[in-house]
Amino acid sequence: MDIATVFGIALAVVLILMAIIIDFDNLEFRIDQLQFFINFPSVLIVIGGTTASVLSSYPLARVLRLGKIIAKVFRQPPEELIETLTLIIDVSKIARKNILAIEDALPSIDNLFLRNGLRLVVDRVDRELIIDIMHSEMRYLDMRRDEEVAILKTFASMAPAYGMMGTLVGLVLMLQNLDDPTTIGPAMAVAILTTFYGTFAANVFFAPWANKLAAQKESDKILREMVRDGVLYIEKGERPDFIEQDLMNYLPPDLRTMYEEMKFESAQESA
Amino acid sequence: MDIATVFGIALAVVLILMAIIIDFDNLEFRIDQLQFFINFPSVLIVIGGTTASVLSSYPLARVLRLGKIIAKVFRQPPEELIETLTLIIDVSKIARKNILAIEDALPSIDNLFLRNGLRLVVDRVDRELIIDIMHSEMRYLDMRRDEEVAILKTFASMAPAYGMMGTLVGLVLMLQNLDDPTTIGPAMAVAILTTFYGTFAANVFFAPWANKLAAQKESDKILREMVRDGVLYIEKGERPDFIEQDLMNYLPPDLRTMYEEMKFESAQESA
Amino acid sequence: MDIATVFGIALAVVLILMAIIIDFDNLEFRIDQLQFFINFPSVLIVIGGTTASVLSSYPLARVLRLGKIIAKVFRQPPEELIETLTLIIDVSKIARKNILAIEDALPSIDNLFLRNGLRLVVDRVDRELIIDIMHSEMRYLDMRRDEEVAILKTFASMAPAYGMMGTLVGLVLMLQNLDDPTTIGPAMAVAILTTFYGTFAANVFFAPWANKLAAQKESDKILREMVRDGVLYIEKGERPDFIEQDLMNYLPPDLRTMYEEMKFESAQESA
Amino acid sequence: MDIATVFGIALAVVLILMAIIIDFDNLEFRIDQLQFFINFPSVLIVIGGTTASVLSSYPLARVLRLGKIIAKVFRQPPEELIETLTLIIDVSKIARKNILAIEDALPSIDNLFLRNGLRLVVDRVDRELIIDIMHSEMRYLDMRRDEEVAILKTFASMAPAYGMMGTLVGLVLMLQNLDDPTTIGPAMAVAILTTFYGTFAANVFFAPWANKLAAQKESDKILREMVRDGVLYIEKGERPDFIEQDLMNYLPPDLRTMYEEMKFESAQESA
Amino acid sequence: MDIATVFGIALAVVLILMAIIIDFDNLEFRIDQLQFFINFPSVLIVIGGTTASVLSSYPLARVLRLGKIIAKVFRQPPEELIETLTLIIDVSKIARKNILAIEDALPSIDNLFLRNGLRLVVDRVDRELIIDIMHSEMRYLDMRRDEEVAILKTFASMAPAYGMMGTLVGLVLMLQNLDDPTTIGPAMAVAILTTFYGTFAANVFFAPWANKLAAQKESDKILREMVRDGVLYIEKGERPDFIEQDLMNYLPPDLRTMYEEMKFESAQESA
């Protein structure tokens, strides 16, 4: 669970709520004002309409993965780089003794890209073909991530558009029913509400989520490059300490220090 | 038929219609309110004007293909990659026995790019020239697809502009005829309606269609790369199992698994 | 004359005119309303101001070519690719007999890039220098085309800005002269008119013209690449049928078919 | 002095002034209306505020060069390419006789990049080092030009933002002092004025200036490439007629014709 | 302390304050008007909301470095290039005598990238590995800087969005409570205030800061390239005067002159 994302959303919601229900001039709570901001058709237009346009924008199979995409946003980014590096080193030690012995370790490997790569090694697939297959997989994973970011960006750009459409519908209805002047204010308020919903959905939810997924892309790419190099070293039967020294270049400076300390400690313990 | 696109558009239309004809406060249907949203000159300006500007933006021949372009958006993207891979393997088996025998298979091949490529092989055209011709065709297909996306994007950006122009015309007319205050509301409503039409056309139709065509571009490109490699392997008389193993790298990971299962099943059946 | 562009502009103008002078509610013509949309100072600000800012944006010599630039937009894009290919083949046949005999054909060649290139061949200029000179010319033609598109895009972005400035001037004047309430409506109408003019000029004229010029760029580039290859083959004294086969790769698939049919027919006729 | 830029700005100012002081309906001058458009705090916010934000955006040393940057916009772009080419040829003739004799010519060379390059030649600096130094200088000149364009673009984007801030301040003040209804109009007019100032400053001054500087960048780059090649040819002791023939490729087609005519004339005169 | 940034912000704040508290028509101070521009919930929504959305957009660890990021904006950019070049030359002189003697100098080196690089040299790490490690560090430093700019840009784009949301909340509340016409003006003023805050925060603070950090990126990159080359020359035991001559190409023309003068002076002094 990524606390920053959850906290960020909660904070935004609470602040908007405070602006609605607290009367700062008289310092009193006005929970009754909350009703002015609840309007079912406005929610329908903004959330439903935005989803509808996303549905027409992308293949169905992709949109159905939306739940998984959003889940990724909330997932605490694990220290995958260090864990995966350690794992690769461990596997390379096994492989030096008996390359087929890796097979037993495969089921316990969570990273699918690493597991698939090692399976190819166990199956004694030709080195050139391993490179081709891993390259093709990296290309597809990149494409998929780009598409996920694009879907969230489409949400972020469609929400204000539908918000505006709802407001225009409300304005037209209001202007056609001007008989009773006392209803103008509330009718206009309801019309404006849809624009508020659209802006809220875009800036509190969709735009930050798209930002977050896009930021994850670069680190995912580095992780996959490290895995690819690792698998190819293992296939070649390279020495574990050489693999470690080379792959450590994929760690950012702070993680490299952390990794070296971990290694030092475990060396002392085992000593 | 791509159900997601149809459903997405239908959903957006229904939601907007609901916002217009349902009075959520009193929970009653107000179908009479629909008339406020039907205005012939507004439709004329938004749809006609947008089309007019697209006509001045692109060569006539391209715009006339608009029907086909939109049809592409609604076409269910077939599992062309697997079908085409299977087809290439089948043809390569024929070609190994007698390369001229491919000719009989040509009329049944739907993919024009593959059919044209194989015709060059049957005609014993020089390998270098085949590469040049296929490369030139890929370049033109890419250019055409880019242009199709650009046309839909021009629609999406022109529609709100014409919506705004219609609203400005309406506002000017209204402000010049302020004699009767009771007409101000309805006149303003009609003026605003054109902006609504422009936003609606852009966000419910054109922008999602442009997104969808753009998303198809990348997968089309991969398909064509696979076809090009396949045609060249066939020309060279390469072994079918080698071709299969190499071209499978063009399949995304999930399709590759699906393809391997299909192959396994058909192998069992034939066994 | 490119009919699509002329028709597109005419259609947009007619549609806007209809929205102004037809009263669709009472189905009657109201030509008198046209006067509300004619305002000399608004035209002055939008057209004059936009031109003024374009003048400050680009070297004078470039802006003075504006007439030629706009003429290009309306020019029917000729089937130059086929014509030029035929011409190159014809010239290559002459050149095979006597390379100096090309000189007589030069004056009748309209394409300046081709004519200049062939003149270099006739003058027996060094092959490397021909390549350098043609490359330099292609670079400058590309730069000029980019600049032409940029000028039209500046028009398209400046027009709404000046429209808004005119509206702001009108609003300030109106707000400072509120004495007579009956003049507020018409004064506001006139103010809004300038925004209408700006949006109209940008979306009916300048933006589509910029789109069209930009679309011509890619096909111009392909034409020039074909001409360059053709000139170099002629300089080398290459066989006409080889030149034809190679340069045909610059034709898009549909034109290639058309070209082959033309050739087939003329072969039959001459037979 | 670049007449187009001066004329463009003057034209825009005159047109706006005409819209303010001429009453086109009654065809009379209303110079008194000019006062409605003069407001000291609005000028302060737009010009001062925009400058303030530019100051916080770039290193002080860069912003202080602003005068020079704007001067560049108004400088008539000289026919530097031809002049510089002639100069290089002249120097190359001197260098063929005695390379150290170039030194006497150095003080009269205005183009700093050329002068610095030739100084390196005179100092018999190693050829590789000359290439490195000139390359480094080209990189820095490019970076500086990009930054100058960026500064003007920041002005162009900040001006409307500060215009809007001024209008918001004016609106808040007006809405808090609604006691006297007769003051609402003028107060609103003054508020709107700041937005007008912001739009005016951006579209009449800063945006065209940024465009112009950006357009100069490409031609500057070509000039520097020509100078670099020329200096290296001189260092090598290349023949002047060869240098001329090669560097002429840096001239655009029209300048090349002009240069050849000039040469032909001077050849006749000297004959 | 970068005076330009501090002065720029102070100037913008003072100008806005002047527009608020000075009545230019009657030339009197109206400090009481300041109260109209102080509204606690508006500050809460704009600053709190924007921060909330940034929190959901980036990993927590990155956002927590915000203080450091902003500190960078205000830091006077030191003449690091010259200082670092001098330092590298000094170290190279020590290294020529005894490469291990560098170790004593390490603690006094502020530039972490240089210090880490020299530590690798002292540790006699393999040259290829030094290149890999420094390359990896440069990649990460670039990525981090890009992310810092992105965070400030997210602030700059979110602030106006939250400003608008606050205004919409205020408008809805106002329209629902129209009973007392005398409160409409002030209520509307408060609603508009939030938009003012959002525009103010974006254009006075965040956008200029993002500009400044982005401008620092290019010069940081040049510094790091110089350091990398220097470390590798030292590892190789290259002669100090050669290193100096080569690394001077990383100095912009004005700094190079300044550096040569400094050298000349110190040479005279030591003479």
Side-chain angles (χ1 to χ4, degrees):
Chain A
M1 196 72 167
D2 184 343
I3 290 178
T5 305
V6 178
F7 178 70
I9 293 172
L11 179 59
V13 171
V14 166
L15 286 169
I16 298 285
L17 275 182
M18 280 172 65
I20 291 173
I21 62 176
I22 301 182
D23 179 340
F24 285 85
D25 290 333
N26 310 315
L27 288 172
E28 56 183 27
F29 275 87
R30 294 287 307 276
I31 300 220
D32 59 304
Q33 293 195 349
L34 199 56
Q35 54 163 319
F36 300 147
F37 289 83
I38 295 168
N39 186 260
F40 186 62
S42 300
V43 175
L44 221 63
I45 288 187
V46 171
I47 299 302
T50 303
T51 309
S53 277
V54 170
L55 271 173
S56 350
S57 291
Y58 298 95
L60 186 57
R62 295 288 177 267
V63 183
L64 291 180
R65 295 180 65 252
L66 193 64
K68 281 193 192 168
I69 299 176
I70 294 175
K72 261 189 208 169
V73 172
F74 285 94
R75 206 185 54 194
Q76 172 72 21
E79 290 302 349
E80 274 197 292
L81 273 172
I82 284 193
E83 278 180 24
T84 310
L85 175 52
T86 315
L87 194 57
I88 291 173
I89 305 305
D90 289 349
V91 171
S92 75
K93 285 175 187 161
I94 303 176
R96 289 277 283 182
K97 292 173 203 147
N98 174 9
I99 205 154
L100 297 181
I102 307 177
E103 191 152 23
D104 304 332
L106 290 186
S108 64
I109 296 177
D110 287 333
N111 185 315
L112 266 182
F113 186 56
L114 176 57
R115 200 204 293 172
N116 291 343
L118 290 176
R119 159 124 358 251
L120 296 171
V121 173
V122 170
D123 293 350
R124 311 304 288 160
V125 172
D126 186 62
R127 185 177 173 86
E128 283 310 303
L129 195 56
I130 295 182
I131 294 177
D132 280 357
I133 291 175
M134 295 191 91
H135 173 83
S136 154
E137 238 173 287
M138 287 170 83
R139 182 180 179 181
Y140 275 108
L141 288 168
D142 261 9
M143 270 173 61
R144 176 147 310 166
R145 178 54 59 100
D146 284 340
E147 204 176 49
E148 287 168 5
V149 173
I151 288 178
L152 286 178
K153 280 196 177 152
T154 305
F155 267 103
S157 71
M158 284 292 170
Y162 275 92
M164 189 188 156
M165 273 194 258
T167 296
L168 291 171
V169 168
L171 282 180
V172 168
L173 288 178
M174 182 197 85
L175 288 164
Q176 294 280 12
N177 298 298
L178 285 179
D179 316 323
D180 180 3
T182 62
T183 64
I184 297 181
M188 188 112 178
V190 169
I192 287 177
L193 205 54
T194 326
T195 289
F196 170 72
Y197 280 8
T199 315
F200 185 85
N203 291 291
V204 177
F205 301 131
F206 302 127
W209 293 351
N211 281 342
K212 193 142 211 171
L213 263 196
Q216 284 178 14
K217 193 193 157 186
E218 190 66 19
S219 48
D220 276 18
K221 213 173 153 184
I222 290 175
L223 178 67
R224 282 200 289 271
E225 288 176 15
M226 190 179 78
V227 166
R228 180 203 52 197
D229 285 8
V231 168
L232 291 173
Y233 278 138
I234 290 173
E235 194 271 344
K236 218 176 166 183
E238 197 64 74
R239 290 204 345 260
D241 58 333
F242 174 87
I243 300 180
E244 183 172 35
Q245 202 175 40
D246 191 83
L247 295 192
M248 268 171 63
N249 285 325
Y250 283 112
L251 301 184
D254 49 338
L255 282 194
R256 198 182 306 155
T257 316
M258 193 195 297
Y259 182 77
E260 278 165 348
E261 280 164 12
M262 275 171 50
K263 237 183 86 178
F264 184 71
E265 281 167 29
S266 72
Q268 279 188 315
E269 280 169 32
S270 64
Chain B
M1 195 72 166
D2 184 343
I3 291 178
T5 305
V6 178
F7 178 72
I9 293 173
L11 179 60
V13 172
V14 166
L15 287 169
I16 298 286
L17 276 181
M18 280 172 66
I20 291 174
I21 61 176
I22 301 182
D23 178 340
F24 285 85
D25 290 332
N26 310 315
L27 287 172
E28 57 183 26
F29 276 87
R30 294 287 307 276
I31 300 221
D32 58 302
Q33 293 194 348
L34 199 56
Q35 53 163 320
F36 300 148
F37 288 84
I38 295 168
N39 186 259
F40 186 62
S42 300
V43 175
L44 221 63
I45 288 186
V46 170
I47 298 303
T50 303
T51 309
S53 277
V54 169
L55 271 172
S56 350
S57 290
Y58 298 96
L60 187 57
R62 295 288 178 265
V63 182
L64 291 181
R65 294 180 65 252
L66 193 65
K68 282 193 191 169
I69 299 175
I70 294 174
K72 261 188 208 171
V73 173
F74 285 94
R75 206 185 53 194
Q76 172 72 20
E79 289 302 349
E80 273 196 293
L81 274 173
I82 285 194
E83 278 181 23
T84 310
L85 175 52
T86 315
L87 193 58
I88 291 173
I89 304 305
D90 289 350
V91 170
S92 75
K93 285 175 186 161
I94 303 175
R96 288 277 283 182
K97 293 174 201 147
N98 174 8
I99 206 156
L100 297 181
I102 307 178
E103 191 152 25
D104 304 331
L106 289 186
S108 64
I109 296 176
D110 287 332
N111 186 315
L112 265 181
F113 186 57
L114 177 56
R115 201 204 291 171
N116 290 343
L118 290 176
R119 161 130 348 257
L120 295 172
V121 173
V122 170
D123 293 350
R124 311 304 289 157
V125 172
D126 186 64
R127 185 178 174 86
E128 282 311 302
L129 195 55
I130 296 182
I131 294 177
D132 280 357
I133 291 175
M134 295 191 91
H135 173 84
S136 154
E137 239 174 285
M138 287 170 85
R139 182 181 178 180
Y140 276 108
L141 290 169
D142 261 9
M143 271 174 59
R144 177 147 309 165
R145 178 54 59 100
D146 284 340
E147 204 175 49
E148 288 168 5
V149 173
I151 288 178
L152 286 178
K153 279 196 178 151
T154 304
F155 267 103
S157 72
M158 284 292 170
Y162 274 93
M164 188 188 156
M165 273 194 258
T167 296
L168 291 172
V169 168
L171 282 180
V172 169
L173 287 177
M174 182 197 86
L175 288 165
Q176 294 280 12
N177 299 297
L178 285 179
D179 316 323
D180 179 3
T182 62
T183 64
I184 297 181
M188 188 111 177
V190 170
I192 286 177
L193 205 55
T194 326
T195 289
F196 170 70
Y197 281 8
T199 315
F200 184 86
N203 291 292
V204 177
F205 301 132
F206 302 127
W209 293 351
N211 281 343
K212 193 143 211 170
L213 264 196
Q216 285 178 14
K217 193 192 157 186
E218 190 67 19
S219 49
D220 276 18
K221 212 173 154 184
I222 291 174
L223 178 68
R224 282 200 290 270
E225 287 176 16
M226 190 180 79
V227 166
R228 180 202 53 197
D229 285 9
V231 167
L232 291 174
Y233 278 138
I234 290 173
E235 194 272 344
K236 217 175 166 183
E238 196 65 73
R239 291 208 340 264
D241 58 334
F242 173 87
I243 299 180
E244 184 172 35
Q245 200 176 42
D246 191 81
L247 296 191
M248 268 170 65
N249 285 325
Y250 284 112
L251 301 184
D254 48 337
L255 282 193
R256 198 182 307 155
T257 315
M258 194 195 298
Y259 181 78
E260 277 164 348
E261 281 164 11
M262 274 172 49
K263 238 183 85 179
F264 184 71
E265 280 168 30
S266 73
Q268 279 188 315
E269 279 170 32
S270 65
Chain C
M1 196 70 166
D2 184 343
I3 290 178
T5 306
V6 178
F7 178 70
I9 293 172
L11 179 60
V13 172
V14 166
L15 287 170
I16 298 285
L17 276 181
M18 280 172 66
I20 291 173
I21 62 176
I22 301 182
D23 179 340
F24 285 84
D25 290 333
N26 309 315
L27 287 173
E28 57 184 26
F29 275 86
R30 294 286 308 274
I31 300 222
D32 60 302
Q33 293 194 349
L34 199 56
Q35 53 162 322
F36 300 147
F37 287 84
I38 295 169
N39 186 259
F40 186 61
S42 300
V43 175
L44 221 63
I45 288 186
V46 170
I47 299 303
T50 303
T51 309
S53 277
V54 170
L55 271 172
S56 349
S57 291
Y58 297 96
L60 187 57
R62 295 288 178 267
V63 183
L64 291 180
R65 294 181 63 253
L66 193 65
K68 282 193 190 168
I69 298 175
I70 295 175
K72 259 188 209 170
V73 173
F74 285 94
R75 205 186 54 194
Q76 172 72 20
E79 290 301 348
E80 274 197 294
L81 273 173
I82 284 194
E83 278 181 24
T84 309
L85 175 52
T86 315
L87 193 57
I88 291 173
I89 304 305
D90 289 350
V91 170
S92 75
K93 286 174 185 161
I94 303 175
R96 288 277 283 182
K97 292 173 202 148
N98 174 8
I99 205 156
L100 297 181
I102 307 178
E103 191 152 25
D104 304 331
L106 289 185
S108 63
I109 296 175
D110 287 331
N111 186 314
L112 265 181
F113 186 56
L114 176 57
R115 202 205 290 171
N116 291 342
L118 289 175
R119 161 132 345 259
L120 295 171
V121 174
V122 170
D123 294 350
R124 311 303 290 157
V125 172
D126 186 62
R127 185 178 174 86
E128 283 311 302
L129 195 55
I130 296 182
I131 294 176
D132 279 356
I133 291 175
M134 294 190 91
H135 173 84
S136 154
E137 240 174 284
M138 287 170 84
R139 181 181 179 181
Y140 275 109
L141 289 168
D142 261 9
M143 270 173 60
R144 177 146 310 166
R145 178 54 57 99
D146 284 340
E147 203 176 49
E148 288 169 5
V149 173
I151 288 178
L152 286 178
K153 278 195 179 153
T154 305
F155 267 103
S157 71
M158 284 292 170
Y162 275 94
M164 188 188 156
M165 274 194 258
T167 296
L168 292 172
V169 168
L171 282 181
V172 169
L173 288 177
M174 183 198 85
L175 288 165
Q176 293 280 13
N177 299 296
L178 285 179
D179 316 324
D180 181 2
T182 62
T183 64
I184 296 181
M188 188 111 178
V190 170
I192 287 177
L193 205 56
T194 326
T195 289
F196 171 72
Y197 281 8
T199 315
F200 184 85
N203 291 291
V204 177
F205 302 131
F206 302 127
W209 294 351
N211 281 342
K212 193 143 212 171
L213 264 195
Q216 284 177 15
K217 193 192 156 184
E218 189 67 18
S219 48
D220 276 17
K221 212 173 154 184
I222 290 175
L223 178 67
R224 282 200 291 270
E225 286 176 16
M226 190 179 79
V227 166
R228 180 202 53 196
D229 285 10
V231 168
L232 291 174
Y233 279 138
I234 290 173
E235 194 271 344
K236 216 175 167 184
E238 196 64 73
R239 291 206 343 262
D241 58 334
F242 174 87
I243 300 180
E244 184 172 35
Q245 202 175 40
D246 190 81
L247 296 192
M248 270 171 63
N249 285 325
Y250 283 112
L251 302 183
D254 47 338
L255 282 193
R256 197 183 306 155
T257 315
M258 195 196 296
Y259 181 77
E260 278 165 348
E261 280 165 11
M262 274 172 50
K263 239 183 86 178
F264 184 73
E265 281 169 29
S266 74
Q268 279 188 317
E269 280 171 31
S270 65
Chain D
M1 195 70 167
D2 184 343
I3 291 178
T5 305
V6 178
F7 178 72
I9 293 172
L11 180 58
V13 172
V14 166
L15 287 169
I16 298 284
L17 275 181
M18 280 173 66
I20 292 173
I21 63 175
I22 301 182
D23 178 340
F24 285 86
D25 290 333
N26 309 315
L27 288 173
E28 56 183 27
F29 275 87
R30 295 285 308 277
I31 301 223
D32 59 304
Q33 293 195 349
L34 199 55
Q35 53 162 320
F36 300 147
F37 288 83
I38 295 169
N39 185 260
F40 186 62
S42 300
V43 176
L44 221 62
I45 288 186
V46 170
I47 299 303
T50 303
T51 309
S53 276
V54 170
L55 271 173
S56 349
S57 291
Y58 298 96
L60 187 56
R62 295 288 178 266
V63 183
L64 291 180
R65 294 181 64 252
L66 194 64
K68 281 192 191 169
I69 299 175
I70 294 175
K72 259 188 210 171
V73 173
F74 285 94
R75 206 185 54 194
Q76 172 71 22
E79 289 302 348
E80 274 196 292
L81 273 173
I82 284 193
E83 277 180 24
T84 310
L85 175 52
T86 315
L87 193 56
I88 291 173
I89 304 305
D90 289 349
V91 170
S92 75
K93 285 174 187 162
I94 302 175
R96 288 278 281 180
K97 292 174 203 148
N98 174 8
I99 205 155
L100 297 182
I102 307 177
E103 190 153 25
D104 304 331
L106 289 186
S108 63
I109 296 176
D110 287 332
N111 186 314
L112 266 181
F113 186 56
L114 177 56
R115 201 205 292 172
N116 290 343
L118 290 175
R119 159 122 1 247
L120 295 172
V121 174
V122 170
D123 293 350
R124 312 304 289 156
V125 172
D126 185 64
R127 186 179 173 84
E128 282 311 302
L129 195 55
I130 297 183
I131 294 177
D132 279 357
I133 291 175
M134 296 190 90
H135 173 83
S136 155
E137 240 174 285
M138 287 170 84
R139 182 181 179 181
Y140 276 108
L141 289 168
D142 261 10
M143 269 174 61
R144 176 147 311 166
R145 178 55 58 101
D146 284 341
E147 203 176 50
E148 288 169 5
V149 173
I151 288 178
L152 287 178
K153 278 195 179 153
T154 305
F155 267 104
S157 71
M158 284 291 170
Y162 275 93
M164 187 188 156
M165 274 194 257
T167 295
L168 292 171
V169 168
L171 283 180
V172 168
L173 288 177
M174 182 197 86
L175 289 165
Q176 294 280 13
N177 298 297
L178 285 179
D179 316 324
D180 181 2
T182 63
T183 64
I184 296 181
M188 187 111 178
V190 169
I192 287 177
L193 205 55
T194 326
T195 289
F196 171 71
Y197 281 7
T199 315
F200 185 86
N203 291 292
V204 177
F205 301 131
F206 301 126
W209 293 350
N211 281 342
K212 193 143 212 170
L213 264 196
Q216 284 177 14
K217 193 192 157 185
E218 189 68 17
S219 48
D220 276 17
K221 211 172 155 185
I222 290 175
L223 178 67
R224 281 201 290 270
E225 288 176 15
M226 190 180 78
V227 166
R228 180 203 53 198
D229 285 9
V231 167
L232 291 174
Y233 279 138
I234 290 173
E235 193 270 345
K236 216 175 166 184
E238 197 64 74
R239 290 202 348 258
D241 57 336
F242 174 88
I243 300 180
E244 184 172 36
Q245 203 175 39
D246 191 82
L247 295 191
M248 269 171 63
N249 285 325
Y250 283 111
L251 301 184
D254 48 338
L255 281 193
R256 198 183 306 156
T257 315
M258 194 196 296
Y259 181 78
E260 278 165 348
E261 281 164 12
M262 273 173 50
K263 237 182 85 178
F264 183 72
E265 281 168 30
S266 73
Q268 279 188 317
E269 279 170 32
S270 64
Chain E
M1 194 72 166
D2 185 343
I3 291 178
T5 305
V6 178
F7 178 72
I9 293 171
L11 179 59
V13 172
V14 167
L15 286 169
I16 298 285
L17 276 181
M18 281 172 65
I20 291 173
I21 62 176
I22 301 183
D23 178 341
F24 285 86
D25 290 332
N26 310 315
L27 287 172
E28 57 184 25
F29 274 87
R30 294 285 308 274
I31 300 220
D32 60 302
Q33 294 194 347
L34 200 56
Q35 53 162 319
F36 300 147
F37 289 83
I38 295 168
N39 186 260
F40 186 62
S42 300
V43 176
L44 220 64
I45 288 186
V46 170
I47 299 303
T50 303
T51 309
S53 277
V54 170
L55 271 172
S56 350
S57 291
Y58 298 95
L60 187 57
R62 295 289 178 266
V63 183
L64 290 180
R65 295 180 64 251
L66 194 64
K68 281 193 193 169
I69 298 175
I70 294 175
K72 259 189 210 171
V73 173
F74 285 94
R75 205 186 54 194
Q76 173 71 22
E79 290 302 348
E80 274 196 291
L81 273 173
I82 283 193
E83 278 180 24
T84 311
L85 175 52
T86 315
L87 193 57
I88 291 173
I89 304 305
D90 289 349
V91 171
S92 75
K93 285 174 187 162
I94 303 175
R96 288 278 283 182
K97 293 173 203 147
N98 174 8
I99 207 155
L100 297 182
I102 308 177
E103 190 152 25
D104 304 331
L106 289 186
S108 64
I109 296 176
D110 287 333
N111 186 314
L112 265 182
F113 186 55
L114 176 56
R115 200 204 293 171
N116 290 343
L118 290 176
R119 159 122 1 247
L120 296 171
V121 173
V122 170
D123 293 350
R124 310 305 287 159
V125 172
D126 185 63
R127 185 177 173 85
E128 283 311 303
L129 195 56
I130 296 182
I131 294 177
D132 279 356
I133 291 175
M134 295 191 90
H135 172 84
S136 154
E137 240 173 285
M138 288 169 83
R139 182 181 179 181
Y140 275 108
L141 289 168
D142 261 9
M143 269 174 62
R144 176 148 309 167
R145 178 53 59 100
D146 284 341
E147 203 176 49
E148 288 169 5
V149 173
I151 288 177
L152 286 179
K153 279 195 177 153
T154 304
F155 267 103
S157 70
M158 283 293 170
Y162 275 92
M164 188 188 157
M165 273 194 258
T167 295
L168 291 171
V169 168
L171 282 180
V172 169
L173 287 177
M174 182 198 86
L175 288 164
Q176 295 280 12
N177 298 296
L178 285 180
D179 316 324
D180 180 3
T182 62
T183 64
I184 296 181
M188 187 113 178
V190 170
I192 287 177
L193 205 55
T194 326
T195 289
F196 171 71
Y197 281 7
T199 315
F200 184 85
N203 291 292
V204 177
F205 301 130
F206 302 126
W209 293 352
N211 281 342
K212 194 144 212 170
L213 263 196
Q216 284 178 12
K217 192 191 158 186
E218 190 67 19
S219 48
D220 276 18
K221 211 173 155 187
I222 290 175
L223 178 67
R224 282 201 289 272
E225 288 176 14
M226 190 180 77
V227 166
R228 180 203 53 197
D229 285 9
V231 168
L232 291 174
Y233 279 138
I234 290 174
E235 194 270 346
K236 217 175 168 184
E238 197 63 74
R239 290 205 344 261
D241 57 335
F242 174 88
I243 299 179
E244 184 173 36
Q245 202 175 41
D246 191 81
L247 295 192
M248 270 171 62
N249 284 325
Y250 284 111
L251 301 183
D254 48 338
L255 281 194
R256 198 183 306 155
T257 316
M258 193 195 296
Y259 181 77
E260 278 164 349
E261 281 164 11
M262 274 171 49
K263 237 182 86 178
F264 184 71
E265 281 168 29
S266 72
Q268 279 188 316
E269 280 170 31
S270 65

